[in-house]
Amino acid sequence: MPYRISRLGLVEIRSLDLDRDLDYYLNVLGLQLTAREGKTAYLKGWDERHAYSFALTESDRAGMVRMAFRTVDPEDLDYYEKRLKDFGIKYDIIPEDYRRGRALRFTAPSGHTVELYNEMDYTGNVLPTVNPGPWPEGLRGIAPPRLDHTLVTAPEPGKAIEFFQTVLEFRLSEMLVAPDGTIIAAWLWQRPAPHDLAIVPGKPGGFHHAAFVVDSADALFRAADILAMHKARIDYGPGRHGITRGTTIYFFDPSGNRLETFGGYTAYQMDPDSRAIRWTQDQIGPAVFYYSQELNETFLSVYT
Amino acid sequence: MYTITLKPVGSTIACGPEESVLAAILRSGASVMFGCRGGGCGTCKMRLTSGQIAHGRCSAAVLLAEEKKCGRFLSCQARALSDLTIELSAANKYHVLRSWRRLSLLDC
Ligand code: FES
Ligand SMILES: [Fe+2]
């Protein structure tokens, strides 16, 4: 089965105060601002080549507006359109969006708005395209190179996981299973990395976190320093997940949306025939927080 | 400084005009359940039985207009505008930290 999704291309979340939160996203998290259009700011990591990967929209609440996946080829969008039809999933065609071409928009069984698209303006990263250095100088804040994945909640995670597996052909990298064998939570991939998307139990449409890459242990600890120096609320870490092996810091933006710096540098590579790793329910502690070996009080109850 | 009375535990704490109710409770040496500290998750919700507060920026998804009318507020956002009485529930998981008790023994 070929890969048809190249990456989690966009996460859009809500902000209770765009001016305040944009300052945080630019100077503490250290994303690059592509543009601010009315109530929405379009952002990205310094090493991302398309126009934006993260959008922040002012609202009376926090939480997720939508997630969007970019297909590998333009034809893959047609392929998925046919699959949505075949499975009887209602969808809308969004002819265009800010610096982006046609998209398919539908609601996943988890209650989330999901889009698939292929075309977005190719702006390049912040480095020159001829004879570039390895990284740019003068970045602010944590300055992650790119968006990595998102974790969302679903009232019936099994149904949502099956939807992403069956209709959108995501593969499972890891899963948490109940004693009777039912899947409680799953980590899903197409890009050859442990996950593009993960689903855990919770309310419909819930946003648990969006994760940005940090690419070394030094960068992880530097990120923690920056968050603490700015009195940001750190939820957990620096630590390590048993699932994916990634190192992690969970923290919150000023509107209370959880973010993560994810150290995929400790994670494994996928092969097309990689099979899912199983975690048993009684080991949920080390599965999520490997060093403390137990869930903290907020992991399953606090999200937006 | 205002005084906050926490019921049913009966303790009283001081709260400055610039700090959130949550910050005042944590500073008093108690622990209480909270999450995002940003007004987004609703985990720190409490109920006011007397006094005036400024609600601050709260997600309308976790603090409904009806709830506000019944005195509910997000303690991570709310500022005291007078002395307050707050009715804690089990969900707030209020408890005084033992390490602070020891610290106050050293003080005297
Ligand atoms: S702790 Fe999340 S709303 Fe107060
Ligand atoms: Fe994550």
Side-chain angles (χ1 to χ4, degrees):
Chain A
M1 192 163 61
Y3 301 110
R4 297 181 193 275
I5 285 175
S6 73
R7 60 168 298 182
L8 172 66
L10 170 66
V11 168
E12 180 175 354
I13 60 171
R14 297 185 178 91
S15 155
L16 297 172
D17 181 337
L18 188 56
D19 287 331
R20 174 195 67 183
D21 293 2
L22 193 52
D23 179 67
Y24 173 90
Y25 276 90
L26 297 179
N27 297 312
V28 182
L29 184 55
L31 297 184
Q32 306 287 310
L33 179 66
T34 301
R36 183 173 171 171
E37 300 268 308
K39 287 185 174 242
T40 300
Y42 297 91
L43 302 148
K44 64 177 194 164
W46 67 263
D47 205 13
E48 292 182 289
R49 296 175 179 93
H50 293 91
Y52 58 98
S53 64
F54 196 80
L56 206 56
T57 296
E58 192 163 80
S59 170
D60 68 347
R61 61 201 60 211
M64 180 181 257
V65 178
R66 58 181 167 154
M67 62 178 120
F69 295 95
R70 181 165 186 268
T71 65
V72 174
D73 290 315
E75 302 78 58
D76 295 326
L77 205 52
D78 305 326
Y79 174 86
Y80 280 123
E81 185 167 6
K82 182 168 180 308
R83 276 189 91 71
L84 291 171
K85 275 190 192 135
D86 289 349
F87 282 92
I89 316 287
K90 271 194 243 138
Y91 64 94
D92 291 317
I93 294 175
I94 311 301
E96 59 176 347
D97 196 350
Y98 178 72
R99 301 186 79 169
R100 197 183 74 172
R102 185 173 76 104
L104 308 172
R105 179 184 292 170
F106 47 92
T107 306
S110 54
H112 297 87
T113 300
V114 179
E115 294 173 339
L116 300 172
Y117 70 96
N118 179 259
E119 283 168 41
M120 184 185 277
D121 282 2
Y122 191 95
T123 52
N125 62 17
V126 305
L127 296 170
T129 54
V130 179
N131 307 329
W135 45 267
E137 290 183 301
L139 296 175
R140 298 186 67 92
I142 297 168
R146 62 189 172 276
L147 177 69
D148 189 81
H149 65 265
T150 187
L151 192 159
V152 298
T153 65
E156 291 179 280
K159 272 195 185 161
I161 292 158
E162 199 195 330
F163 172 85
F164 281 97
Q165 277 186 284
T166 317
V167 183
L168 302 183
E169 300 182 327
F170 277 84
R171 294 134 165 97
L172 283 191
S173 58
E174 311 212 16
M175 55 188 169
L176 183 72
V177 286
D180 68 1
T182 51
I183 300 181
I184 304 164
W187 284 254
L188 299 135
W189 66 286
Q190 283 224 21
R191 176 190 59 147
H195 59 326
D196 300 300
L197 170 69
I199 299 170
V200 300
K203 69 177 185 194
F207 173 65
H208 193 280
H209 67 265
F212 293 88
V213 170
V214 288
D215 52 18
S216 69
D218 282 351
L220 188 80
F221 281 95
R222 187 176 165 276
D225 291 342
I226 291 169
L227 292 168
M229 288 190 294
H230 288 272
K231 303 270 182 273
R233 159 94 168 114
I234 293 181
D235 180 32
Y236 185 83
R240 187 209 268 272
H241 297 303
I243 291 172
T244 75
R245 303 180 198 156
T247 57
T248 180
I249 305 169
Y250 282 146
F251 55 102
F252 294 98
D253 79 4
S255 288
N257 295 297
R258 191 189 276 95
L259 300 171
E260 179 182 22
T261 50
F262 180 72
Y265 58 91
T266 52
Y268 45 80
Q269 295 282 308
M270 308 308 295
D271 272 314
D273 64 348
S274 294
R275 295 183 200 168
I277 294 164
R278 295 164 70 90
W279 291 83
T280 54
Q281 190 178 351
D282 61 323
Q283 294 300 301
I284 188 171
V288 177
F289 297 130
Y290 196 66
Y291 296 144
S292 62
Q293 305 269 308
E294 57 185 29
L295 284 188
N296 61 4
E297 259 190 308
T298 52
F299 183 78
L300 283 174
S301 64
V302 174
Y303 53 90
T304 52
Chain B
M1 279 279 177
Y2 298 115
T3 300
I4 301 180
T5 306
L6 297 169
K7 297 226 164 136
V9 279
S11 47
T12 57
I13 62 166
C15 183
E18 291 304 318
E19 67 184 337
S20 68
V21 170
L22 175 68
I25 294 173
L26 298 178
R27 198 172 45 74
S28 77
S31 170
V32 74
M33 184 67 190
F34 69 101
C36 69
R37 220 175 57 193
C41 74
T43 314
C44 66
K45 200 183 293 175
M46 293 179 181
R47 191 162 69 89
L48 188 71
T49 52
S50 76
Q52 297 292 316
I53 53 160
H55 278 283
R57 283 190 200 85
C58 304
S59 164
V62 298
L63 184 66
L64 310 177
E66 309 83 276
E67 288 184 303
K68 268 191 186 175
K69 271 186 217 139
C70 308
R72 312 242 171 228
F73 65 98
L74 299 183
S75 61
C76 73
Q77 299 303 302
R79 302 275 185 285
L81 300 176
S82 71
D83 290 349
L84 307 177
T85 307
I86 292 168
E87 187 74 39
L88 296 169
S89 76
N92 294 128
K93 298 192 179 168
Y94 176 92
H95 60 279
V96 175
L97 293 171
R98 276 209 253 142
S99 53
W100 272 73
R101 279 205 186 119
R102 260 187 241 123
L103 199 65
S104 41
L105 284 179
L106 288 176
D107 278 348
C108 56

